[in-house]
Amino acid sequence: MSIEESIPKADTTAPPEPETVPETAPPVRTPRRRVLRTVGLIAVAAVIGLVGGTAVGYGIQADREPTALPPLNQPGLAYPAKALPKGQRPEPLAAKEDRQAKAQGDLRKLLVAKPAGAKKDKFGDSNGWMPLYEFAGQFTKPGNALDHQLDLGVRRVATASWMSGEHRRTEVRLIQYRAGDTLASEEYIESQQDYMPTKKYADSEGKELKGSSNGRYYLFPVQREAGYLDLYEARAYAHRGDIALEIFMTDTKKISEKDIRSLAERQLGRL
């Protein structure tokens, strides 16, 4: 065998072409305009549903019979109690029924009478009036108190005081204010009530007075000091209209709730 026969011949056959791999088809995308149009249709449908529901609700209400409102006046409180003929005016209130007329008269006449057996307080005001400088002198800082009272529009102070038992002293004050932008009597009473729960009176928050939305009475802890008798104190504060009410009660013996409460409620009943 010749040398040429022993050498393998090169394969001249062309290699097969690779199979064509098909490309992945691109995803089908919804046009942006179509998406926006769908969202817009949904929004419009929601608005139409809301407006339509509201319109239907109004229609139902319009078809219903109107409900009659309760009368503005309350039976038993109107004056006069019965309607008058056309053109006729009601008679003025009697003095005992006209609270404002009572307050404009002699304020001392509205003070509660001293109880039977009580003695006149020798340190009290003889004529039933308390001068403004004396009223302001009851405060820790009389000058500031007087300025504040004048700013509130204080008009006059009527007072009555008496002694009962061995050491009990009672004083009632009616402080009247002029008309203004605010109710000065309420402002003054609230300031006094705010002062009650101070350190000296830490155990006294007060209790409500009947017949008043804001009145309160207070029983203070006993004050003891060497060489002196025990001191018990009770107070009441309320206001009605342009009049502020103060009641002070002191004794060397314990003061009952009934004593201060009943006196304050009787005085309120006269205002």
Side-chain angles (χ1 to χ4, degrees), residues 3 56 78 127 153 157:
I3 296 176
V56 171
N127 62 358
V157 181

Side-chain angles (χ1 to χ4, degrees), residues 6-256:
S6 62
I7 298 174
K9 295 181 180 180
D11 189 1
T12 57
T13 305
E17 295 182 1
E19 296 182 359
T20 303
V21 179
E23 295 182 1
T24 304
V28 180
R29 296 182 180 180
T30 305
R32 181 177 180 83
R33 184 178 301 175
R34 185 181 302 173
V35 174
L36 293 177
R37 182 182 302 171
T38 303
V39 174
L41 290 175
I42 294 174
V44 171
V47 173
I48 292 176
L50 178 62
V51 174
T54 304
V56 171
Y58 276 114
I60 294 174
Q61 292 293 335
D63 292 337
R64 289 178 178 175
E65 292 294 330
T67 303
L69 295 174
L72 295 178
N73 63 321
Q74 300 181 28
L77 298 181
Y79 180 80
K82 296 182 180 180
L84 296 175
K86 186 177 181 180
Q88 182 178 347
R89 295 184 178 181
E91 294 293 330
L93 285 170
K96 63 179 181 179
E97 297 176 344
D98 191 346
R99 184 176 297 171
Q100 187 63 26
K102 291 192 301 182
Q104 299 308 316
D106 190 343
L107 194 61
R108 297 173 297 180
K109 293 182 178 180
L110 297 182
L111 286 165
V112 68
K114 66 180 181 180
K119 301 176 183 179
K120 187 175 181 180
D121 180 18
K122 61 181 180 179
F123 298 106
D125 296 279
S126 58
N127 62 358
W129 295 112
M130 178 179 284
L132 293 182
Y133 69 85
E134 185 176 337
F135 174 60
Q138 308 294 317
F139 295 86
T140 305
K141 297 180 179 180
N144 293 343
L146 180 58
D147 290 341
H148 180 60
Q149 288 296 321
L150 293 175
D151 289 340
L152 288 177
V154 64
R155 178 181 172 188
R156 52 184 179 172
V157 181
T159 182
S161 58
W162 58 82
M163 299 293 298
S164 54
E166 188 176 0
H167 296 289
R168 177 168 296 188
R169 180 180 185 273
T170 303
E171 182 178 1
V172 181
R173 297 178 191 167
L174 301 180
I175 306 103
Q176 189 173 35
Y177 295 86
R178 296 181 176 86
D181 296 337
T182 59
L183 192 57
S185 60
E186 180 181 15
E187 183 174 339
Y188 171 68
I189 290 300
E190 287 182 349
S191 68
Q192 295 305 297
Q193 291 174 338
D194 291 341
Y195 172 72
M196 290 299 98
T198 59
K199 183 176 181 180
K200 181 179 178 182
Y201 306 123
D203 296 333
S204 180
E205 294 294 335
K207 294 184 179 181
E208 295 181 0
L209 284 171
K210 292 182 180 180
S212 173
S213 60
N214 62 346
R216 302 189 73 82
Y217 66 94
Y218 304 82
L219 290 169
F220 303 136
V222 60
Q223 300 178 40
R224 291 190 171 96
E225 187 175 349
Y228 294 90
L229 296 173
D230 292 345
L231 178 63
Y232 292 87
E233 184 178 2
R235 296 188 188 184
Y237 292 98
H239 78 86
R240 178 157 290 170
D242 58 0
I243 299 176
L245 163 65
E246 294 180 319
I247 297 180
F248 304 89
M249 191 177 291
T250 57
D251 201 344
T252 57
K253 298 179 180 180
K254 188 175 182 179
I255 302 172
S256 68

